[in-house]
């Protein structure tokens, strides 16, 4: 349900922003505000759930989604660009809460099953990849000015999420977990494994967001109709989540670092495909491959992160990780709109290359470091 909403927002936010923005370069500002709301909400959401438990905290989080959708629909009715930006900022808080579904699964899983649990939770995003853009095509002109019906439809999915959460069994935090703080965040963050996990997740998400947010606008500039853009975004989200059915098993069989390295190579491949032309097929292939690469980096990074903290430290460690991801998404959302509307689709892809190279370098460094430590231990 979360990613049905997210996929719909991805499909329409940039175009709604372009329709209302006073300047074309501000077209992706509603997307940026959506991500900024997540960045502002992610640490408070994590600390809130530490106090009240996952189930109650996640349920409260859905109310932010209902509020955001109502304000967004009002913004479209009033044709107010800045109110739309505020609406997506509010909606971003719901997304901040929702990102902890994967950690809720990891928290209640055995260490051996953790990567699979994370993968299976994210596999639910496959429904969103298919349903979200299809929903936007059906509701975009359903009521009032264009886009208003699509925003109103999101309320139903937030309410369904609230109902489903009532049936989820998640142990309440113990009194010790509520009050204990564990090591300082700086000490946790100084671990090389933590650094690589956060860097891979944040840059991987940032690059994916940078290219994804630009795609509907780039396709429109290339003369492709909205239906083609929604089709490409839909399959991009499928690429993001469909591999989740096997990613956990791949991590258990091959190791988390090799799977993450494959994710980096897929990111490079997606950029190469995007630079090869502007036909719908090239947009489609690039976005699908990019989605699979993101999946390997995101699940791999999350799995790696769960090995860096104790139970009483999970709120601050998970919150710091997701805050870094959202900060990178804010930067990528804001710069993608300005880049694609002023410099073009090719420049967008070229700017992503050095960021992916940073992740590749970090993974190679950590793999060599781990190999040296194993040799030293044997000796």
């Amino acid at each position: 349900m979360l990613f049905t909403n997210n996929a719909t927002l991805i499909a329409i936010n940039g175009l709604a922003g372009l329709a209302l923005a006073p300047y074309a370069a501000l077209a992706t500002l509603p997307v940026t505000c959506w991500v900024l709301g997540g960045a502002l909400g992610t640490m408070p959401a994590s600390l809130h759930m530490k106090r009240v438990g996952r189930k109650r905290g996640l349920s409260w989080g859905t109310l932010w989604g209902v509020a955001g959708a109502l304000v967004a629909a009002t913004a479209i009715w009033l044709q107010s660009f800045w109110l739309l930006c505020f609406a997506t900022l509010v909606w971003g808080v719901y997304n901040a809460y929702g990102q902890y579904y994967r950690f809720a699964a990891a928290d209640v899983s055995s260490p051996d099953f953790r990567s699979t649990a994370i993968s299976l939770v994210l596999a639910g995003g496959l429904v969103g990849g298919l349903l979200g853009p299809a929903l936007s095509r059906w509701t975009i002109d359903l009521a009032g000015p264009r886009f208003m019906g699509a925003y109103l439809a999101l309320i139903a999915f937030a309410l369904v999420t609230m109902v489903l959460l009532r049936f989820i069994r998640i142990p309440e935090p113990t009194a010790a977990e509520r009050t204990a703080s564990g090591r300082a965040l700086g000490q946790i963050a100084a671990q090389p494994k933590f650094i690589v996990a956060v860097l891979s997740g944040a840059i991987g998400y940032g690059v994916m967001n940078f290219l994804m947010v630009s795609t509907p606008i780039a396709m429109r500039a290339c003369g492709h109709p909205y239906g083609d853009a929604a089709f490409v975004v839909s399959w991009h989200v499928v690429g993001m989540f469909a591999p989740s059915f096997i990613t956990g098993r791949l991590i258990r069989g091959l190791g988390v670092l090799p799977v993450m390295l494959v994710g980096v190579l897929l990111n490079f491949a997606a950029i190469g495909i995007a630079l090869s032309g502007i036909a719908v097929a090239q947009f489609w292939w690039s976005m699908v491959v990019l989605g699979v690469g993101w999946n390997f980096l995101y699940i791999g990074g999350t799995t790696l992160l769960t090995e860096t903290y104790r139970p009483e430290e999970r709120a601050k460690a998970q919150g710091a990780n997701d805050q870094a991801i959202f900060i990178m998404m804010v930067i990528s959302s804001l710069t993608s709109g300005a880049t694609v509307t002023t410099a073009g689709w090719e420049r967008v892809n070229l700017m992503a290359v050095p960021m992916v190279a940073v992740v590749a370098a970090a993974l190679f460094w950590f793999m060599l470091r781990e190999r040296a430590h194993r040799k030293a231990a044997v000796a």
Side-chain angles (χ1 to χ4, degrees):
M1 294 298 100
L2 174 75
F3 280 105
T4 297
N5 281 325
N6 286 357
T8 304
L9 290 174
I10 290 164
I12 66 175
N13 266 349
L15 295 174
L18 187 64
L20 298 179
Y23 307 103
L26 295 176
T28 57
L29 187 58
V31 182
T32 303
C33 289
W34 174 50
V35 180
L36 180 61
L40 295 173
T42 186
M43 185 62 82
S46 188
L47 296 176
H48 180 215
M49 284 183 281
K50 180 177 181 178
R51 294 194 306 273
V52 304
R54 292 284 193 201
K55 183 174 179 177
R56 192 181 305 173
L58 292 171
S59 296
W60 275 101
T62 60
L63 295 176
W64 289 91
V66 174
L70 285 171
V71 178
T74 304
I76 296 298
W77 177 260
L78 298 175
Q79 294 290 284
S80 172
F81 175 73
W82 299 110
L83 185 60
L84 179 63
C85 292
F86 175 73
T88 55
L89 183 77
V90 172
W91 188 274
V93 181
Y94 169 44
N95 195 32
Y97 274 92
Q99 296 304 313
Y100 289 101
Y101 292 140
R102 72 193 198 279
F103 285 123
D107 293 346
V108 297
S109 300
S110 64
D112 289 342
F113 190 71
R114 198 165 286 157
S115 62
T116 301
I118 295 167
S119 295
L120 292 177
V121 168
L122 289 178
L126 182 59
V127 176
L130 296 171
L131 188 56
L135 173 75
S136 71
R137 285 197 296 269
W138 182 67
T139 58
I140 193 170
D141 295 310
L142 186 62
R146 195 167 208 226
F147 304 110
M148 181 176 169
Y151 283 115
L152 286 173
L154 300 180
I155 297 173
F157 290 93
L159 294 176
V160 169
T161 304
M162 186 182 300
V163 173
L164 290 173
L165 284 167
R166 296 182 64 85
F167 296 95
I168 294 177
R169 297 187 302 273
I170 304 175
E172 292 292 321
T174 64
E177 289 174 342
R178 292 176 196 267
T179 57
S181 60
R183 293 170 294 174
L185 180 59
Q187 187 177 353
I188 299 169
Q191 301 170 92
K193 185 179 290 187
F194 184 93
I195 294 170
V196 172
V198 173
L199 191 68
S200 299
I203 293 181
Y205 220 131
V207 168
M208 184 276 293
N209 193 61
F210 185 66
L211 298 176
M212 175 187 64
V213 169
S214 301
T215 295
I217 297 173
M219 292 186 69
R220 184 176 183 270
C222 294
H224 302 303
Y226 173 76
D228 286 344
F231 170 78
V232 168
V233 170
S234 177
W235 276 95
H236 167 66
V237 180
V238 170
M240 289 172 65
F241 298 108
S244 298
F245 291 106
I246 64 168
T247 304
R249 290 199 295 272
L250 289 175
I251 289 173
R252 292 211 311 268
L254 303 175
V256 65
L257 296 177
V259 171
M260 293 171 72
L261 189 58
V262 172
V264 168
L265 296 176
L266 289 172
N267 270 258
F268 280 127
I271 293 169
I273 295 168
L275 292 172
S276 69
I278 57 172
V280 173
Q282 286 156 317
F283 279 107
W284 185 86
W285 274 109
S286 176
M287 286 296 103
V288 170
V289 172
L290 179 70
V292 178
W294 170 87
N295 181 277
F296 287 176
L297 278 175
Y298 190 59
I299 293 177
T302 301
T303 301
L304 201 63
L305 185 82
T306 61
E307 301 172 4
T308 65
Y309 55 79
R310 302 164 187 161
E312 67 272 15
E313 299 165 349
R314 64 168 62 115
K316 66 179 77 171
Q318 293 171 0
N321 175 75
D322 278 18
Q323 194 154 47
I325 289 173
F326 276 115
I327 288 171
M328 281 299 300
M329 289 175 67
V330 169
I331 296 170
S332 62
S333 298
L334 187 61
T335 55
S336 66
T339 305
V340 74
T341 54
T342 59
W345 177 239
E346 181 179 353
R347 181 62 61 85
V348 169
N349 284 275
L350 289 175
M351 288 178 64
V353 172
M355 300 302 294
V356 180
V358 169
V359 180
L363 286 170
F364 275 119
W365 166 76
F366 189 67
M367 290 173 75
L368 292 174
R369 184 179 183 276
E370 291 292 290
R371 184 178 300 175
H373 281 183
R374 286 194 298 268
K375 288 182 178 179
V378 172

